[in-house]
Amino acid sequence: MWDLASGKLLRSITDAHPPGTAILHIKFTDDPTLAICNDSGGSVFELSFKRVMGVRTCESRCLFSGSKGEVCCIEPLHAKVELRDHPITQYSLLAMASLTKILVIGLKPSLKVWMTFPYGRMDPSSVPLLAWHFVAVQNSVNPMLAFCRGDVVHFLLVKRDDTGAIHVTKQKQLHLHYDLINFTWINSRTAVLLDSVEKLHVIDRQTQEELETIEIPEVQLVYNSSHFKSLATGGNVSEALALVGEKACYQSISSCGGQIFYLGTKSVHVMTLRSWRERVDHLLKQERLTDALALAWSFYEGKAKAVVGLSGDTSKRKAVIADRMVEILLHYADRTLKKCPDQGKIQVMEQHFQDVVPVIVDYCLLLQRTDLLFNQIYDKMSENSVAKGIFLECLEPYILSDKLMGITAQVMKDLLLHFQDKNRLENMEACIVHMDITSLDIQQVVLLCWENHLYDAMIYVYNSGMNDFISPMEKLFKVIAPPLNAGKSLTDEQVVMGNKLLVYISCCLAGRAYPLGDIPEDLVPLVKNQVFEFLIRLHSTEGSVDEEVYPHIRTLLHFDTREFLNVLALTFEDFKNDKQAVEYQQRIVDILLKVMVENSDFTPSQVGCLFTFLARQLAKPNNTLFVNRTLFDQVLEFLCSPDDDSRHSERQQVLLELLQAGGIVQFEESRLIQMAEKAEFYQICEFMYERELRYDKIIGCYLRDPVRKEEVFNYIHNILSMPGYSTEEKQSVWDKALEHIKELLLLSPCKAADLVAIHFSEQIESIITNLQDQFLLFQFLRSLLDPREGINQDLIHLPPCITEQFIELLCQYSPDDVLETLKVLEYCRLEETIQITQKHQLHEASSYLLEKKGDIHGAFLVMLERLQSKLLMLTQDDESSEQLPLLENIEDTLMKTIALCQRNSHNLNQQQQEALWFPLLEAMMSPQKLSGSSQYRYAESLKSLTMQVLNNMAAFIALPSILQRILQDPVYGKGKLGEIQGLVLGMLDTFNYEQTLLETTTNLLNHDLHWSLCNLRASVTRGLTPKQDYCCICLQQYKRRQETADEIIVFSCGHLYHSLCLLSKECGVVTKGLMQWMCYKCNSSNKGGKLSENFSELKKGSVTSLAQTGSESVLDPQQIQAFDQLCRLNRGTSRLALLTELSRTHGEKHGPLSVAHGDPAASSVFQNETFQLHLAPPPLVEE
């Protein structure tokens, strides 16, 4: 122990800790006579210093033994001088961290453990760290212990309660992405962390935000590894402690008074936090003025972290910071002007100021220093025209958001002139209506607004500056009234003015300021009265002699009747108990009636709007208006005037709106219906009938209304289907619809049929009987019975005679659609239908029905007769005429006949097939037998068609039979084979091609089968290797079983069993005196129910063992399993099936090209669509 003041050695302590261990830590407590030391054995000792009779002594007491866990970090709680009286200091707290837990103990007044905190599994190489500091939490100052090991920091708050007990509570953790080797508090809010790659991290405790990162490799930090490994005493330490010592630097880092000292190999470094002023100045030196202002503003708002150097109350701190920010702003403005680029494009200068000036404006307004902004800074910016323009434009968003009100008159004037020069009039108008009117030159602004048509701004200046609400209306009326009175159309600008006028009147009458805000409450009644007096003036102030009365109301009605009346309606909503306002209301209504009813200038729509407005007002419960009822009658006469056919739909719509608005109470209903029917206002009639629940009458309204005829079907369906209508009402509608069924059918047969099917299915026969128009009946039946029309056939139950009547009509009116319709018709009697189609000579339809009936030959004869008649027409026609359409018709008929033969040949015997194909061949060849057939102009076409018949025949008739039939023909039997030479040569070519194909396919199949059988032989003769040396059932080694009757059975899958174990699982069965086995594991776990299936085959004797004696060679279960696997690897058509097919083809037919009878898709593998030839060469098999 040394006295640092004098450099004198006070005492040497030799027995403070066990010999052979190194001292890791020694630290004083706040009591100078008490110290704590920690050695490399993991033990902790208390050193108590005394001086008795001039002799210095030291007593050592073991606080924690390393045998219970090695402590490698200790930290006593130190309190500053101002906190020495804190109640917790009397306990002399000590924190200790071992490799598995931390402890907090009290040394005074007696030794006591206050907390134990195990921290679970960590990286064994990470260093345990402890650090105390007093922090303010919840209005009290208490010590907080930071503990970390690895990348997680735990904060533990220590409190003393009223009973004197110590309580430790966990605060939120700090999770990092790096491994820590040191944790140091620099103040109660900020900590400095050092990670394993010697990088410093400054952390804010409350927000856990990382404020700064600094790399310090140049420090060359000293590590305490030699002490932790106890190299000086022989290295007598545990491996865990030695591993921690690799990163330990406890003694190289110390903190005091807000400074942290780092011990390097060649120097000592001091780290400290800069004051707030130094941080700002540091950014200014780097010319990062924007960042400096942002940092200063964060200090001003109190949001900055790690703040040092600010003291006093909030207002004092803000004043200090604001003064500094003002200095920066003035410096910023000077620097901006000095660094302005002198040369280059104007865009470069604009961009330069655009980056800087908005920042200056923002911070001046944030500091509420408009005096600085509009005096010193504006004067500086005015030196440069570009900077001045950018400055003025920066003010616009603040003006529009009402954040900037106290603008000086000079700046305001410059701003307006700037917008005018730039022709940004809309921006100027938006700014004016947000400005304080006292900063404006009213005369200048009014002239400016009127010249540039800025009506919103003009109205705002008049209203706010002079409390004049009438002059703007007079100015606007002077613009829009003359063209309206002259009957001219308005320009787009005049329309905009008119709309603004309506909105302005609405705002004034509602107590709202235009274009935004509210009129002062004391002015609201005065403004309303002035506006009403203005509207109801008999003549305008500067009106001509011949001006009509009430020009203002007349002008607004001509401009937009509906919107003006809406404005009045909204205004009348506010008139409750105001007597004068009620008088104005009645006065305006009287004027409206006088202007519109006594004048023919207004359209029915405009007049209707007025009376709709009146009806709504009169319908209100608190109505005070009086309107003469005879006026409503006059309006009804006017709207229903039959003399005027123009605007029919408009007049009807107006009257409907009037009734819906409550005007119906003003009319006599019977007279209203009578006049509506006379005027053909069917929507009005519908409205009235619906009120009287006479729904059946509405059907007539729909049918007579040319615009809404189609809607009658939906109306009838809704009435009959939807709830809410009585039985009597539905019945009356049902009767009425049935009465008008013919009109409905004429309107839309399809929709009428749909309606009939749903609601009138029982009356279909009577409807058909009463329909005299045969074509209308055809359309109705077609919509009703043809499934393609979309009607659900399950709803209809008709006798067959109705269907036959429909087919009869279909043959008359649409014979081309008969065949397709017959294919989709579900209910029809074949015999009767065949008679109908034969009667109308529809051969294809007759053939289809005969085929459907099962009379294949009859169907064929019909088609053959049609084909022969067309061929006869072809041969008899004049050779000079073009017969291409007829030839195409012949080809179409032939294709259909061939298709008929192909569809049915599979189900016929040889004789019946020949009865179909040979007459068809004869029919095609007969025209070619005529004399001069070689010169016949269509000979080539007919030969081509004949070849198609032959090619299709070859699939069903043997080629020798075809040749024999041709040669037996009397014409060709005498040696005249020249005409059929092409046919015969074509047949021979086909024969040669198919013979070659068959030989090639047979060779490929033989090679493929040989390869498969070689593989199978190799797999079933290969030796078996068991996967394990124990039975898969009893799990005992097969060598240990001594029963004589027990045998060892190995399967090809590699599983091994005792025979008795297999018998116990019923996996063995006796067949023909021999035992057959099956693998229990493979068949039970993987195959499921296949085990019993395979055993049924075993019992039938279908498989036997490979070891079976005798001449019969069959496959056992193991071989079947191997064969199945081989088949799966080579999926395709069975080779055996192919060979069987080939042998059957050779045995049953006259020639190699014969094809089996029956369905080829079912009986022949060659015609299976999945049949593919495997044309790869077989792999080599090792013998």
Side-chain angles (χ1 to χ4, degrees), residues 327-353:
E327 295 173 11
I328 298 172
L329 287 169
L330 292 171
H331 169 67
Y332 204 0
D334 292 334
R335 176 179 171 276
T336 302
L337 292 169
K338 287 178 183 177
K339 292 206 170 187
C340 174
D342 297 328
Q343 298 178 345
K345 296 182 180 178
I346 189 69
Q347 290 87 350
V348 178
M349 295 180 66
E350 286 181 350
Q351 186 60 46
H352 169 74
F353 288 112

PDB file of all heavy atoms in Angstrom, residues 327-353:
ATOM      1  N   GLU A 327     -27.261  33.316 -34.648  1.00  0.00           N
ATOM      2  CA  GLU A 327     -25.916  33.550 -35.179  1.00  0.00           C
ATOM      3  C   GLU A 327     -25.645  32.648 -36.377  1.00  0.00           C
ATOM      4  O   GLU A 327     -25.096  33.092 -37.401  1.00  0.00           O
ATOM      5  CB  GLU A 327     -24.882  33.302 -34.082  1.00  0.00           C
ATOM      6  CG  GLU A 327     -24.960  34.267 -32.904  1.00  0.00           C
ATOM      7  CD  GLU A 327     -24.013  33.863 -31.783  1.00  0.00           C
ATOM      8  OE1 GLU A 327     -23.173  32.965 -32.032  1.00  0.00           O
ATOM      9  OE2 GLU A 327     -24.122  34.414 -30.673  1.00  0.00           O
ATOM     10  N   ILE A 328     -26.015  31.380 -36.251  1.00  0.00           N
ATOM     11  CA  ILE A 328     -25.778  30.426 -37.354  1.00  0.00           C
ATOM     12  C   ILE A 328     -26.576  30.829 -38.586  1.00  0.00           C
ATOM     13  O   ILE A 328     -26.069  30.778 -39.727  1.00  0.00           O
ATOM     14  CB  ILE A 328     -26.138  28.996 -36.917  1.00  0.00           C
ATOM     15  CG1 ILE A 328     -25.255  28.549 -35.750  1.00  0.00           C
ATOM     16  CG2 ILE A 328     -26.003  28.016 -38.074  1.00  0.00           C
ATOM     17  CD1 ILE A 328     -25.690  27.228 -35.135  1.00  0.00           C
ATOM     18  N   LEU A 329     -27.844  31.261 -38.397  1.00  0.00           N
ATOM     19  CA  LEU A 329     -28.693  31.625 -39.535  1.00  0.00           C
ATOM     20  C   LEU A 329     -28.117  32.828 -40.287  1.00  0.00           C
ATOM     21  O   LEU A 329     -28.093  32.838 -41.528  1.00  0.00           O
ATOM     22  CB  LEU A 329     -30.110  31.925 -39.053  1.00  0.00           C
ATOM     23  CG  LEU A 329     -30.943  30.696 -38.616  1.00  0.00           C
ATOM     24  CD1 LEU A 329     -32.214  31.128 -37.912  1.00  0.00           C
ATOM     25  CD2 LEU A 329     -31.284  29.822 -39.816  1.00  0.00           C
ATOM     26  N   LEU A 330     -27.668  33.829 -39.554  1.00  0.00           N
ATOM     27  CA  LEU A 330     -27.074  34.994 -40.216  1.00  0.00           C
ATOM     28  C   LEU A 330     -25.794  34.609 -40.944  1.00  0.00           C
ATOM     29  O   LEU A 330     -25.544  35.048 -42.083  1.00  0.00           O
ATOM     30  CB  LEU A 330     -26.798  36.086 -39.176  1.00  0.00           C
ATOM     31  CG  LEU A 330     -28.055  36.738 -38.567  1.00  0.00           C
ATOM     32  CD1 LEU A 330     -27.676  37.646 -37.410  1.00  0.00           C
ATOM     33  CD2 LEU A 330     -28.823  37.518 -39.625  1.00  0.00           C
ATOM     34  N   HIS A 331     -24.996  33.767 -40.303  1.00  0.00           N
ATOM     35  CA  HIS A 331     -23.778  33.273 -40.957  1.00  0.00           C
ATOM     36  C   HIS A 331     -24.128  32.459 -42.210  1.00  0.00           C
ATOM     37  O   HIS A 331     -23.470  32.571 -43.256  1.00  0.00           O
ATOM     38  CB  HIS A 331     -22.991  32.429 -39.950  1.00  0.00           C
ATOM     39  CG  HIS A 331     -21.854  31.662 -40.571  1.00  0.00           C
ATOM     40  ND1 HIS A 331     -20.737  32.284 -41.103  1.00  0.00           N
ATOM     41  CD2 HIS A 331     -21.666  30.329 -40.756  1.00  0.00           C
ATOM     42  CE1 HIS A 331     -19.923  31.366 -41.595  1.00  0.00           C
ATOM     43  NE2 HIS A 331     -20.468  30.168 -41.388  1.00  0.00           N
ATOM     44  N   TYR A 332     -25.177  31.667 -42.091  1.00  0.00           N
ATOM     45  CA  TYR A 332     -25.633  30.828 -43.202  1.00  0.00           C
ATOM     46  C   TYR A 332     -26.050  31.713 -44.389  1.00  0.00           C
ATOM     47  O   TYR A 332     -25.722  31.437 -45.555  1.00  0.00           O
ATOM     48  CB  TYR A 332     -26.816  29.982 -42.727  1.00  0.00           C
ATOM     49  CG  TYR A 332     -27.062  28.712 -43.498  1.00  0.00           C
ATOM     50  CD1 TYR A 332     -26.261  28.343 -44.577  1.00  0.00           C
ATOM     51  CD2 TYR A 332     -28.109  27.867 -43.166  1.00  0.00           C
ATOM     52  CE1 TYR A 332     -26.489  27.167 -45.270  1.00  0.00           C
ATOM     53  CE2 TYR A 332     -28.350  26.686 -43.845  1.00  0.00           C
ATOM     54  CZ  TYR A 332     -27.530  26.352 -44.907  1.00  0.00           C
ATOM     55  OH  TYR A 332     -27.757  25.189 -45.596  1.00  0.00           O
ATOM     56  N   ALA A 333     -26.812  32.780 -44.099  1.00  0.00           N
ATOM     57  CA  ALA A 333     -27.267  33.681 -45.168  1.00  0.00           C
ATOM     58  C   ALA A 333     -26.077  34.353 -45.860  1.00  0.00           C
ATOM     59  O   ALA A 333     -26.020  34.435 -47.108  1.00  0.00           O
ATOM     60  CB  ALA A 333     -28.210  34.727 -44.575  1.00  0.00           C
ATOM     61  N   ASP A 334     -25.121  34.855 -45.076  1.00  0.00           N
ATOM     62  CA  ASP A 334     -23.934  35.483 -45.667  1.00  0.00           C
ATOM     63  C   ASP A 334     -23.161  34.499 -46.523  1.00  0.00           C
ATOM     64  O   ASP A 334     -22.736  34.811 -47.648  1.00  0.00           O
ATOM     65  CB  ASP A 334     -23.036  36.037 -44.555  1.00  0.00           C
ATOM     66  CG  ASP A 334     -23.683  37.223 -43.842  1.00  0.00           C
ATOM     67  OD1 ASP A 334     -24.520  37.900 -44.472  1.00  0.00           O
ATOM     68  OD2 ASP A 334     -23.351  37.454 -42.656  1.00  0.00           O
ATOM     69  N   ARG A 335     -22.964  33.313 -45.997  1.00  0.00           N
ATOM     70  CA  ARG A 335     -22.176  32.297 -46.722  1.00  0.00           C
ATOM     71  C   ARG A 335     -22.871  31.906 -48.023  1.00  0.00           C
ATOM     72  O   ARG A 335     -22.233  31.696 -49.053  1.00  0.00           O
ATOM     73  CB  ARG A 335     -21.998  31.074 -45.823  1.00  0.00           C
ATOM     74  CG  ARG A 335     -21.293  29.894 -46.472  1.00  0.00           C
ATOM     75  CD  ARG A 335     -21.161  28.752 -45.468  1.00  0.00           C
ATOM     76  NE  ARG A 335     -20.693  27.534 -46.100  1.00  0.00           N
ATOM     77  CZ  ARG A 335     -21.475  26.670 -46.733  1.00  0.00           C
ATOM     78  NH1 ARG A 335     -22.776  26.914 -46.825  1.00  0.00           N
ATOM     79  NH2 ARG A 335     -20.969  25.580 -47.276  1.00  0.00           N
ATOM     80  N   THR A 336     -24.207  31.824 -47.997  1.00  0.00           N
ATOM     81  CA  THR A 336     -24.971  31.456 -49.192  1.00  0.00           C
ATOM     82  C   THR A 336     -24.772  32.472 -50.308  1.00  0.00           C
ATOM     83  O   THR A 336     -24.572  32.116 -51.477  1.00  0.00           O
ATOM     84  CB  THR A 336     -26.464  31.343 -48.842  1.00  0.00           C
ATOM     85  OG1 THR A 336     -26.617  30.373 -47.815  1.00  0.00           O
ATOM     86  CG2 THR A 336     -27.276  30.929 -50.054  1.00  0.00           C
ATOM     87  N   LEU A 337     -24.832  33.744 -49.948  1.00  0.00           N
ATOM     88  CA  LEU A 337     -24.675  34.786 -50.958  1.00  0.00           C
ATOM     89  C   LEU A 337     -23.247  34.842 -51.484  1.00  0.00           C
ATOM     90  O   LEU A 337     -23.016  35.073 -52.673  1.00  0.00           O
ATOM     91  CB  LEU A 337     -25.074  36.138 -50.367  1.00  0.00           C
ATOM     92  CG  LEU A 337     -26.571  36.289 -50.057  1.00  0.00           C
ATOM     93  CD1 LEU A 337     -26.834  37.534 -49.234  1.00  0.00           C
ATOM     94  CD2 LEU A 337     -27.377  36.331 -51.344  1.00  0.00           C
ATOM     95  N   LYS A 338     -22.267  34.608 -50.617  1.00  0.00           N
ATOM     96  CA  LYS A 338     -20.867  34.648 -51.045  1.00  0.00           C
ATOM     97  C   LYS A 338     -20.532  33.485 -51.956  1.00  0.00           C
ATOM     98  O   LYS A 338     -19.761  33.628 -52.907  1.00  0.00           O
ATOM     99  CB  LYS A 338     -19.949  34.625 -49.824  1.00  0.00           C
ATOM    100  CG  LYS A 338     -19.935  35.933 -49.035  1.00  0.00           C
ATOM    101  CD  LYS A 338     -19.041  35.822 -47.801  1.00  0.00           C
ATOM    102  CE  LYS A 338     -19.090  37.111 -46.974  1.00  0.00           C
ATOM    103  NZ  LYS A 338     -18.279  36.980 -45.736  1.00  0.00           N
ATOM    104  N   LYS A 339     -21.095  32.326 -51.678  1.00  0.00           N
ATOM    105  CA  LYS A 339     -20.758  31.128 -52.452  1.00  0.00           C
ATOM    106  C   LYS A 339     -21.687  30.922 -53.639  1.00  0.00           C
ATOM    107  O   LYS A 339     -21.724  29.839 -54.224  1.00  0.00           O
ATOM    108  CB  LYS A 339     -20.803  29.895 -51.554  1.00  0.00           C
ATOM    109  CG  LYS A 339     -19.701  29.885 -50.504  1.00  0.00           C
ATOM    110  CD  LYS A 339     -19.379  28.470 -50.085  1.00  0.00           C
ATOM    111  CE  LYS A 339     -18.136  28.429 -49.222  1.00  0.00           C
ATOM    112  NZ  LYS A 339     -17.696  27.068 -48.933  1.00  0.00           N
ATOM    113  N   CYS A 340     -22.478  31.920 -53.981  1.00  0.00           N
ATOM    114  CA  CYS A 340     -23.368  31.795 -55.131  1.00  0.00           C
ATOM    115  C   CYS A 340     -22.533  31.692 -56.405  1.00  0.00           C
ATOM    116  O   CYS A 340     -21.614  32.491 -56.624  1.00  0.00           O
ATOM    117  CB  CYS A 340     -24.286  33.019 -55.197  1.00  0.00           C
ATOM    118  SG  CYS A 340     -25.306  33.045 -56.681  1.00  0.00           S
ATOM    119  N   PRO A 341     -22.831  30.720 -57.280  1.00  0.00           N
ATOM    120  CA  PRO A 341     -22.070  30.610 -58.536  1.00  0.00           C
ATOM    121  C   PRO A 341     -22.291  31.838 -59.421  1.00  0.00           C
ATOM    122  O   PRO A 341     -23.427  32.225 -59.698  1.00  0.00           O
ATOM    123  CB  PRO A 341     -22.636  29.335 -59.189  1.00  0.00           C
ATOM    124  CG  PRO A 341     -23.939  29.106 -58.520  1.00  0.00           C
ATOM    125  CD  PRO A 341     -23.849  29.655 -57.149  1.00  0.00           C
ATOM    126  N   ASP A 342     -21.187  32.487 -59.823  1.00  0.00           N
ATOM    127  CA  ASP A 342     -21.274  33.714 -60.623  1.00  0.00           C
ATOM    128  C   ASP A 342     -21.631  33.428 -62.072  1.00  0.00           C
ATOM    129  O   ASP A 342     -22.261  34.240 -62.747  1.00  0.00           O
ATOM    130  CB  ASP A 342     -19.933  34.478 -60.567  1.00  0.00           C
ATOM    131  CG  ASP A 342     -19.615  34.927 -59.144  1.00  0.00           C
ATOM    132  OD1 ASP A 342     -20.581  35.204 -58.407  1.00  0.00           O
ATOM    133  OD2 ASP A 342     -18.428  34.973 -58.784  1.00  0.00           O
ATOM    134  N   GLN A 343     -21.194  32.300 -62.574  1.00  0.00           N
ATOM    135  CA  GLN A 343     -21.407  31.980 -63.985  1.00  0.00           C
ATOM    136  C   GLN A 343     -22.273  30.735 -64.097  1.00  0.00           C
ATOM    137  O   GLN A 343     -22.464  29.996 -63.130  1.00  0.00           O
ATOM    138  CB  GLN A 343     -20.067  31.753 -64.685  1.00  0.00           C
ATOM    139  CG  GLN A 343     -19.155  32.993 -64.681  1.00  0.00           C
ATOM    140  CD  GLN A 343     -17.829  32.704 -65.327  1.00  0.00           C
ATOM    141  OE1 GLN A 343     -17.483  31.546 -65.517  1.00  0.00           O
ATOM    142  NE2 GLN A 343     -17.096  33.759 -65.658  1.00  0.00           N
ATOM    143  N   GLY A 344     -22.745  30.502 -65.301  1.00  0.00           N
ATOM    144  CA  GLY A 344     -23.531  29.296 -65.547  1.00  0.00           C
ATOM    145  C   GLY A 344     -24.998  29.628 -65.769  1.00  0.00           C
ATOM    146  O   GLY A 344     -25.409  30.788 -65.809  1.00  0.00           O
ATOM    147  N   LYS A 345     -25.785  28.603 -65.916  1.00  0.00           N
ATOM    148  CA  LYS A 345     -27.196  28.775 -66.207  1.00  0.00           C
ATOM    149  C   LYS A 345     -27.940  29.283 -64.979  1.00  0.00           C
ATOM    150  O   LYS A 345     -27.521  29.085 -63.839  1.00  0.00           O
ATOM    151  CB  LYS A 345     -27.797  27.433 -66.655  1.00  0.00           C
ATOM    152  CG  LYS A 345     -27.221  26.909 -67.953  1.00  0.00           C
ATOM    153  CD  LYS A 345     -27.887  25.606 -68.348  1.00  0.00           C
ATOM    154  CE  LYS A 345     -27.313  25.082 -69.659  1.00  0.00           C
ATOM    155  NZ  LYS A 345     -27.907  23.796 -70.052  1.00  0.00           N
ATOM    156  N   ILE A 346     -29.084  29.916 -65.249  1.00  0.00           N
ATOM    157  CA  ILE A 346     -29.913  30.424 -64.161  1.00  0.00           C
ATOM    158  C   ILE A 346     -30.423  29.274 -63.289  1.00  0.00           C
ATOM    159  O   ILE A 346     -30.650  29.422 -62.086  1.00  0.00           O
ATOM    160  CB  ILE A 346     -31.085  31.249 -64.746  1.00  0.00           C
ATOM    161  CG1 ILE A 346     -31.850  31.997 -63.630  1.00  0.00           C
ATOM    162  CG2 ILE A 346     -32.031  30.353 -65.524  1.00  0.00           C
ATOM    163  CD1 ILE A 346     -31.064  33.103 -63.013  1.00  0.00           C
ATOM    164  N   GLN A 347     -30.598  28.063 -63.924  1.00  0.00           N
ATOM    165  CA  GLN A 347     -31.076  26.913 -63.155  1.00  0.00           C
ATOM    166  C   GLN A 347     -30.084  26.525 -62.062  1.00  0.00           C
ATOM    167  O   GLN A 347     -30.475  26.064 -60.989  1.00  0.00           O
ATOM    168  CB  GLN A 347     -31.312  25.703 -64.079  1.00  0.00           C
ATOM    169  CG  GLN A 347     -32.498  25.850 -65.003  1.00  0.00           C
ATOM    170  CD  GLN A 347     -32.137  26.547 -66.294  1.00  0.00           C
ATOM    171  OE1 GLN A 347     -31.037  27.082 -66.419  1.00  0.00           O
ATOM    172  NE2 GLN A 347     -33.062  26.548 -67.252  1.00  0.00           N
ATOM    173  N   VAL A 348     -28.779  26.709 -62.316  1.00  0.00           N
ATOM    174  CA  VAL A 348     -27.759  26.375 -61.317  1.00  0.00           C
ATOM    175  C   VAL A 348     -27.890  27.295 -60.106  1.00  0.00           C
ATOM    176  O   VAL A 348     -27.834  26.855 -58.954  1.00  0.00           O
ATOM    177  CB  VAL A 348     -26.356  26.482 -61.933  1.00  0.00           C
ATOM    178  CG1 VAL A 348     -25.285  26.194 -60.887  1.00  0.00           C
ATOM    179  CG2 VAL A 348     -26.223  25.540 -63.123  1.00  0.00           C
ATOM    180  N   MET A 349     -28.077  28.591 -60.359  1.00  0.00           N
ATOM    181  CA  MET A 349     -28.250  29.546 -59.258  1.00  0.00           C
ATOM    182  C   MET A 349     -29.527  29.248 -58.481  1.00  0.00           C
ATOM    183  O   MET A 349     -29.554  29.269 -57.242  1.00  0.00           O
ATOM    184  CB  MET A 349     -28.299  30.967 -59.807  1.00  0.00           C
ATOM    185  CG  MET A 349     -26.998  31.440 -60.463  1.00  0.00           C
ATOM    186  SD  MET A 349     -27.127  33.126 -61.104  1.00  0.00           S
ATOM    187  CE  MET A 349     -27.315  34.046 -59.589  1.00  0.00           C
ATOM    188  N   GLU A 350     -30.615  28.941 -59.228  1.00  0.00           N
ATOM    189  CA  GLU A 350     -31.871  28.619 -58.542  1.00  0.00           C
ATOM    190  C   GLU A 350     -31.719  27.401 -57.653  1.00  0.00           C
ATOM    191  O   GLU A 350     -32.211  27.375 -56.521  1.00  0.00           O
ATOM    192  CB  GLU A 350     -32.980  28.383 -59.575  1.00  0.00           C
ATOM    193  CG  GLU A 350     -33.476  29.661 -60.239  1.00  0.00           C
ATOM    194  CD  GLU A 350     -34.584  29.374 -61.243  1.00  0.00           C
ATOM    195  OE1 GLU A 350     -34.818  28.189 -61.547  1.00  0.00           O
ATOM    196  OE2 GLU A 350     -35.211  30.338 -61.724  1.00  0.00           O
ATOM    197  N   GLN A 351     -31.012  26.376 -58.161  1.00  0.00           N
ATOM    198  CA  GLN A 351     -30.817  25.163 -57.361  1.00  0.00           C
ATOM    199  C   GLN A 351     -29.977  25.455 -56.114  1.00  0.00           C
ATOM    200  O   GLN A 351     -30.252  24.928 -55.029  1.00  0.00           O
ATOM    201  CB  GLN A 351     -30.136  24.078 -58.212  1.00  0.00           C
ATOM    202  CG  GLN A 351     -30.014  22.724 -57.525  1.00  0.00           C
ATOM    203  CD  GLN A 351     -31.372  22.155 -57.161  1.00  0.00           C
ATOM    204  OE1 GLN A 351     -32.294  22.153 -57.958  1.00  0.00           O
ATOM    205  NE2 GLN A 351     -31.505  21.697 -55.929  1.00  0.00           N
ATOM    206  N   HIS A 352     -28.971  26.344 -56.267  1.00  0.00           N
ATOM    207  CA  HIS A 352     -28.118  26.712 -55.130  1.00  0.00           C
ATOM    208  C   HIS A 352     -28.959  27.334 -54.009  1.00  0.00           C
ATOM    209  O   HIS A 352     -28.860  26.925 -52.835  1.00  0.00           O
ATOM    210  CB  HIS A 352     -27.039  27.699 -55.594  1.00  0.00           C
ATOM    211  CG  HIS A 352     -26.274  28.344 -54.475  1.00  0.00           C
ATOM    212  ND1 HIS A 352     -25.323  27.657 -53.745  1.00  0.00           N
ATOM    213  CD2 HIS A 352     -26.328  29.605 -53.957  1.00  0.00           C
ATOM    214  CE1 HIS A 352     -24.834  28.471 -52.814  1.00  0.00           C
ATOM    215  NE2 HIS A 352     -25.423  29.657 -52.929  1.00  0.00           N
ATOM    216  N   PHE A 353     -29.799  28.305 -54.362  1.00  0.00           N
ATOM    217  CA  PHE A 353     -30.605  28.967 -53.332  1.00  0.00           C
ATOM    218  C   PHE A 353     -31.761  28.070 -52.863  1.00  0.00           C
ATOM    219  O   PHE A 353     -32.182  28.160 -51.721  1.00  0.00           O
ATOM    220  CB  PHE A 353     -31.148  30.293 -53.871  1.00  0.00           C
ATOM    221  CG  PHE A 353     -30.096  31.352 -54.018  1.00  0.00           C
ATOM    222  CD1 PHE A 353     -29.701  31.812 -55.264  1.00  0.00           C
ATOM    223  CD2 PHE A 353     -29.455  31.882 -52.889  1.00  0.00           C
ATOM    224  CE1 PHE A 353     -28.716  32.782 -55.392  1.00  0.00           C
ATOM    225  CE2 PHE A 353     -28.470  32.849 -53.019  1.00  0.00           C
ATOM    226  CZ  PHE A 353     -28.088  33.298 -54.263  1.00  0.00           C
TER     227      PHE A 353
END
